[in-house]
Amino acid sequence: MCADARTLAEPAALTVDVVTGAMAGTGRRYEKRLADLAGAYRDEGAYRRRLARDDGSPVYWVDTSTVEHGDGALSVGLSVLRPGRVGREFAMTRGHLHEHAEAAELYFGIAGQGVLLMDSLDGRSRALPLSAGRAVHVPGGWVHRSVNTGSEPLQTLFCYPADAGQDYGIIERAGGMAQLVVESPRGWVCEPNPDHRGYRRG
């Protein structure tokens, strides 16, 4: 039986501009500045020194499109994370676990170089490279954040269930993620975070 056409959302065309780091046809954008990332970096002194000379520009922004709602709907968007470091740690997003923890997410690299840093709720950690043409699948039950390890903006296309929600406080409650992505003579490495104390749901 055919669905009533009046209940169906319209298809949407989304255009990614890799020069400006914008996705046309999206419904909303949010921006995060360095001041919004208090507590995200382990080296508090380095964070405060960097913040003192910060110009207030966004560290990262996200354009998101949700053209339909309900079961089976998807949120699709573009995340752009500028390069930089705070102490030895590379620039990163706040990171999250989905409120519906079983919800998965797909990230597809558009431009730049980075890492998708992931911790599972059962104690595993992974850091998978992200670059143009490379995708990373984040299964349900994994806390995740993007890290820019390059010298250009890291641009990623993402897709997840529209009703997944985000728990942005889970990393802070855990004392940070289990691994830190830091500068090394080889480019980047992961080091254990001695402050990490395991995850608990909010």
Side-chain angles (χ1 to χ4, degrees):
M1 181 176 180
C2 293
D4 185 340
R6 292 172 298 178
T7 67
L8 298 178
E10 282 291 318
L14 303 172
T15 302
V16 175
D17 185 333
V18 297
V19 175
T20 63
M23 175 180 279
T26 59
R28 60 190 174 92
R29 168 178 283 197
Y30 73 82
E31 300 176 342
K32 292 297 172 189
R33 291 163 173 77
L34 189 61
D36 299 319
L37 298 175
Y41 294 96
R42 185 165 187 267
D43 188 337
E44 180 67 19
Y47 171 75
R48 292 190 178 279
R49 289 190 295 274
R50 175 78 185 273
L51 188 62
R53 63 179 191 272
D54 184 62
D55 65 2
S57 300
V59 173
Y60 68 94
W61 59 91
V62 177
D63 290 341
T64 304
S65 173
T66 303
V67 298
E68 56 183 338
H69 301 275
D71 292 344
L74 297 174
S75 286
V76 180
L78 178 72
S79 172
V80 181
L81 173 60
R82 294 171 58 203
R85 287 192 308 278
V86 174
R88 294 179 61 221
E89 288 183 85
F90 289 97
M92 59 187 172
T93 62
R94 286 186 299 169
H96 62 273
L97 176 72
H98 293 291
E99 286 181 354
H100 297 289
E102 70 280 3
E105 188 163 1
L106 181 71
Y107 288 80
F108 180 79
I110 300 293
Q113 300 283 333
V115 174
L116 201 63
L117 186 61
M118 296 168 281
D119 290 339
S120 69
L121 294 178
D122 63 6
R124 292 170 284 164
S125 294
R126 300 289 184 268
L128 297 182
L130 265 177
S131 57
R134 185 180 180 98
V136 175
H137 172 241
V138 182
W142 287 77
V143 178
H144 49 285
R145 73 166 22 135
S146 299
V147 183
N148 187 338
T149 59
S151 59
E152 302 294 333
L154 175 64
Q155 301 187 37
T156 52
L157 186 74
F158 61 83
C159 182
Y160 61 87
D163 62 355
Q166 286 91 17
D167 179 354
Y168 288 114
I170 192 168
I171 296 174
E172 183 178 358
R173 294 192 300 271
M177 294 188 72
Q179 300 286 321
L180 307 172
V181 181
V182 299
E183 183 184 25
S184 83
R186 301 189 303 275
W188 65 270
V189 295
C190 285
E191 293 181 352
N193 176 9
D195 298 332
H196 181 72
R197 50 185 177 266
Y199 292 106
R200 58 184 176 82
R201 302 296 304 278

